[in-house]
Amino acid sequence: MSAQPRPQEPEARLLTEAVTRLRRALRSSIRTDYPWETLPMAQVELLQVLGEHSPVRITDLATRRRLAPSTVSGLIAQMITAGLVAREVDPTDRRASVVTLTAAGREQLTAWTTAHERRIDTALAALDAPSRTAIAQALPALFRLAENLGEQADDTTQA
């Protein structure tokens, strides 16, 4: 059994804690500030993918979100019932189906995004200028870190 590399202390631990706290605070505050927001995060993430890549097959959605196709299929069924997405025949393969974002789904995604951006803008405005600058400068590195984590996950699933 090979030993797992120890995370870089304290950066890995602190970044993990910061990301966890940010997600929890955002999720909690959005439900307080915007009580209409009831979509589960898994459905929001699927709407985000569909907002960028629509139409798309369920298997492709599952791959993009690193979820089991059966899980995505169940979420999509709920979203169809809610009128957020529609299932259609795949124009490139009439034996298959694709999922598209409906007007109601696009509206919900836009409202969700706007509410979150407004909430984050308010929190950023409460910070001092050096903190806002540090966050802005860290964004490219955070995106690269997310890509690296995604590549590690891909390597693990392909092994």
Side-chain angles (χ1 to χ4, degrees), residues 15-133:
L15 184 57
T16 299
E17 185 176 334
V19 169
T20 301
R21 284 184 182 190
L22 281 169
R23 285 183 59 105
R24 188 180 312 123
L26 188 56
R27 191 172 44 243
S28 171
S29 70
I30 202 71
R31 301 230 192 272
T32 300
D33 293 349
Y34 305 97
W36 52 263
E37 175 52 56
T38 59
L39 277 181
M41 195 61 206
Q43 289 185 12
V44 170
E45 290 176 354
L46 291 176
L47 288 176
Q48 289 171 325
V49 172
L50 287 166
E52 294 177 19
H53 310 280
S54 186
V56 66
R57 290 183 181 191
I58 286 180
T59 53
D60 294 335
L61 275 173
T63 300
R64 288 179 188 276
R65 297 305 321 146
R66 292 181 169 74
L67 296 169
S70 60
T71 300
V72 173
S73 186
L75 290 167
I76 291 298
Q78 294 169 6
M79 294 166 72
I80 288 171
T81 301
L84 301 174
V85 300
R87 191 182 314 250
E88 301 171 353
V89 173
D90 185 341
T92 63
D93 181 355
R94 303 209 46 84
R95 298 168 296 169
S97 64
V98 293
V99 179
T100 59
L101 198 57
T102 63
R106 189 166 304 285
E107 186 176 302
Q108 183 76 24
L109 178 59
T110 299
W112 186 92
T113 302
T114 300
H116 278 74
E117 288 173 354
R118 188 176 305 126
R119 184 71 176 134
I120 290 172
D121 280 343
T122 300
L124 285 169
L127 297 175
D128 59 26
S131 294
R132 286 192 308 273
T133 299

Side-chain angles (χ1 to χ4, degrees), residues 128-147:
D128 59 26
S131 294
R132 286 192 308 273
T133 299
I135 290 170
Q137 290 175 341
L139 289 174
L142 290 170
F143 279 110
R144 286 192 303 275
L145 178 62
E147 288 174 15

